[in-house]
PDB file of all heavy atoms in Angstrom:
ATOM      1  N   PRO B 153      86.123 149.166  80.417  1.00 36.00           N
ATOM      2  CA  PRO B 153      87.679 149.220  80.322  1.00 36.00           C
ATOM      3  C   PRO B 153      88.345 148.625  81.528  1.00 36.00           C
ATOM      4  O   PRO B 153      87.951 148.877  82.642  1.00 36.00           O
ATOM      5  CB  PRO B 153      88.086 150.818  80.303  1.00 36.00           C
ATOM      6  CG  PRO B 153      86.779 151.362  80.870  1.00 36.00           C
ATOM      7  CD  PRO B 153      85.723 150.494  81.130  1.00 36.00           C
ATOM      8  N   PHE B 154      89.086 147.579  81.158  1.00 36.00           N
ATOM      9  CA  PHE B 154      89.741 146.906  82.247  1.00 36.00           C
ATOM     10  C   PHE B 154      90.958 147.680  82.898  1.00 36.00           C
ATOM     11  O   PHE B 154      91.562 148.375  82.084  1.00 36.00           O
ATOM     12  CB  PHE B 154      90.274 145.461  81.715  1.00 36.00           C
ATOM     13  CG  PHE B 154      89.129 144.571  81.362  1.00 36.00           C
ATOM     14  CD1 PHE B 154      88.799 144.454  79.926  1.00 36.00           C
ATOM     15  CD2 PHE B 154      88.364 143.954  82.339  1.00 36.00           C
ATOM     16  CE1 PHE B 154      87.682 143.641  79.741  1.00 36.00           C
ATOM     17  CE2 PHE B 154      87.283 143.147  81.921  1.00 36.00           C
ATOM     18  CZ  PHE B 154      86.960 142.988  80.659  1.00 36.00           C
ATOM     19  N   ASP B 155      91.106 147.529  84.049  1.00 37.00           N
ATOM     20  CA  ASP B 155      91.950 148.369  84.843  1.00 37.00           C
ATOM     21  C   ASP B 155      93.446 148.261  84.244  1.00 37.00           C
ATOM     22  O   ASP B 155      93.936 149.296  83.962  1.00 37.00           O
ATOM     23  CB  ASP B 155      91.940 148.013  86.351  1.00 37.00           C
ATOM     24  CG  ASP B 155      90.590 148.609  86.874  1.00 37.00           C
ATOM     25  OD1 ASP B 155      90.045 149.635  86.271  1.00 37.00           O
ATOM     26  OD2 ASP B 155      90.291 148.062  87.891  1.00 37.00           O
ATOM     27  N   ASP B 156      93.856 147.018  84.059  1.00 38.00           N
ATOM     28  CA  ASP B 156      95.220 147.055  83.643  1.00 38.00           C
ATOM     29  C   ASP B 156      95.240 146.950  82.210  1.00 38.00           C
ATOM     30  O   ASP B 156      94.486 146.253  81.438  1.00 38.00           O
ATOM     31  CB  ASP B 156      95.925 145.844  84.255  1.00 38.00           C
ATOM     32  CG  ASP B 156      95.211 144.499  84.058  1.00 38.00           C
ATOM     33  OD1 ASP B 156      94.021 144.553  83.900  1.00 38.00           O
ATOM     34  OD2 ASP B 156      95.983 143.511  83.823  1.00 38.00           O
ATOM     35  N   ASP B 157      96.232 147.658  81.626  1.00 38.00           N
ATOM     36  CA  ASP B 157      96.187 147.756  80.197  1.00 38.00           C
ATOM     37  C   ASP B 157      97.029 146.675  79.590  1.00 38.00           C
ATOM     38  O   ASP B 157      97.213 146.618  78.162  1.00 38.00           O
ATOM     39  CB  ASP B 157      96.710 149.122  79.626  1.00 38.00           C
ATOM     40  CG  ASP B 157      95.751 150.232  80.141  1.00 38.00           C
ATOM     41  OD1 ASP B 157      94.442 149.932  79.886  1.00 38.00           O
ATOM     42  OD2 ASP B 157      96.148 151.194  80.558  1.00 38.00           O
ATOM     43  N   GLU B 158      97.641 145.728  80.330  1.00 38.00           N
ATOM     44  CA  GLU B 158      98.565 144.857  79.760  1.00 38.00           C
ATOM     45  C   GLU B 158      97.819 143.870  78.723  1.00 38.00           C
ATOM     46  O   GLU B 158      98.450 143.483  77.734  1.00 38.00           O
ATOM     47  CB  GLU B 158      99.183 143.951  80.720  1.00 38.00           C
ATOM     48  CG  GLU B 158     100.235 144.604  81.567  1.00 38.00           C
ATOM     49  CD  GLU B 158     100.632 143.841  82.870  1.00 38.00           C
ATOM     50  OE1 GLU B 158     100.363 142.615  82.854  1.00 38.00           O
ATOM     51  OE2 GLU B 158     101.067 144.444  83.768  1.00 38.00           O
ATOM     52  N   SER B 159      96.561 143.643  79.126  1.00 39.00           N
ATOM     53  CA  SER B 159      95.898 142.717  78.169  1.00 39.00           C
ATOM     54  C   SER B 159      95.236 143.405  77.100  1.00 39.00           C
ATOM     55  O   SER B 159      94.788 144.611  77.071  1.00 39.00           O
ATOM     56  CB  SER B 159      94.831 142.053  79.098  1.00 39.00           C
ATOM     57  OG  SER B 159      93.646 141.847  78.324  1.00 39.00           O
ATOM     58  N   GLY B 160      95.271 142.665  75.910  1.00 37.00           N
ATOM     59  CA  GLY B 160      94.653 143.224  74.743  1.00 37.00           C
ATOM     60  C   GLY B 160      93.280 143.153  74.571  1.00 37.00           C
ATOM     61  O   GLY B 160      92.582 143.626  73.708  1.00 37.00           O
ATOM     62  N   THR B 161      92.765 142.445  75.569  1.00 38.00           N
ATOM     63  CA  THR B 161      91.236 142.210  75.467  1.00 38.00           C
ATOM     64  C   THR B 161      90.538 143.286  75.967  1.00 38.00           C
ATOM     65  O   THR B 161      89.341 143.416  75.766  1.00 38.00           O
ATOM     66  CB  THR B 161      90.888 140.918  76.379  1.00 38.00           C
ATOM     67  OG1 THR B 161      91.318 141.176  77.629  1.00 38.00           O
ATOM     68  CG2 THR B 161      91.516 139.798  75.778  1.00 38.00           C
ATOM     69  N   GLY B 162      91.043 144.300  76.514  1.00 37.00           N
ATOM     70  CA  GLY B 162      90.328 145.358  77.145  1.00 37.00           C
ATOM     71  C   GLY B 162      89.871 146.428  76.097  1.00 37.00           C
ATOM     72  O   GLY B 162      90.486 146.521  75.022  1.00 37.00           O
ATOM     73  N   GLY B 163      88.729 147.171  76.401  1.00 37.00           N
ATOM     74  CA  GLY B 163      88.326 148.212  75.707  1.00 37.00           C
ATOM     75  C   GLY B 163      88.026 147.831  74.180  1.00 37.00           C
ATOM     76  O   GLY B 163      87.618 146.692  73.911  1.00 37.00           O
ATOM     77  N   GLY B 164      88.229 148.821  73.323  1.00 36.00           N
ATOM     78  CA  GLY B 164      87.795 148.591  72.062  1.00 36.00           C
ATOM     79  C   GLY B 164      88.855 147.868  71.098  1.00 36.00           C
ATOM     80  O   GLY B 164      88.664 147.683  69.958  1.00 36.00           O
ATOM     81  N   THR B 165      89.916 147.586  71.767  1.00 36.00           N
ATOM     82  CA  THR B 165      90.932 146.895  70.870  1.00 36.00           C
ATOM     83  C   THR B 165      90.652 145.439  70.640  1.00 36.00           C
ATOM     84  O   THR B 165      91.308 144.815  69.897  1.00 36.00           O
ATOM     85  CB  THR B 165      92.269 146.789  71.666  1.00 36.00           C
ATOM     86  OG1 THR B 165      92.007 146.218  72.962  1.00 36.00           O
ATOM     87  CG2 THR B 165      92.847 148.231  71.836  1.00 36.00           C
ATOM     88  N   THR B 166      89.622 144.984  71.130  1.00 36.00           N
ATOM     89  CA  THR B 166      89.279 143.631  71.031  1.00 36.00           C
ATOM     90  C   THR B 166      88.969 143.324  69.459  1.00 36.00           C
ATOM     91  O   THR B 166      88.136 144.085  68.802  1.00 36.00           O
ATOM     92  CB  THR B 166      87.952 143.182  71.745  1.00 36.00           C
ATOM     93  OG1 THR B 166      88.137 143.773  73.012  1.00 36.00           O
ATOM     94  CG2 THR B 166      87.795 141.732  71.841  1.00 36.00           C
ATOM     95  N   THR B 167      89.583 142.379  68.924  1.00 38.00           N
ATOM     96  CA  THR B 167      89.278 141.991  67.612  1.00 38.00           C
ATOM     97  C   THR B 167      88.594 140.694  67.488  1.00 38.00           C
ATOM     98  O   THR B 167      87.764 140.527  66.621  1.00 38.00           O
ATOM     99  CB  THR B 167      90.663 142.027  66.791  1.00 38.00           C
ATOM    100  OG1 THR B 167      91.629 141.181  67.506  1.00 38.00           O
ATOM    101  CG2 THR B 167      91.238 143.272  66.594  1.00 38.00           C
TER     102      THR B 167
END
Side-chain angles (χ1 to χ4, degrees):
Chain B
F154 294 101
D155 284 338
D156 55 327
D157 293 321
E158 282 172 26
S159 145
T161 55
T165 56
T166 316
T167 48

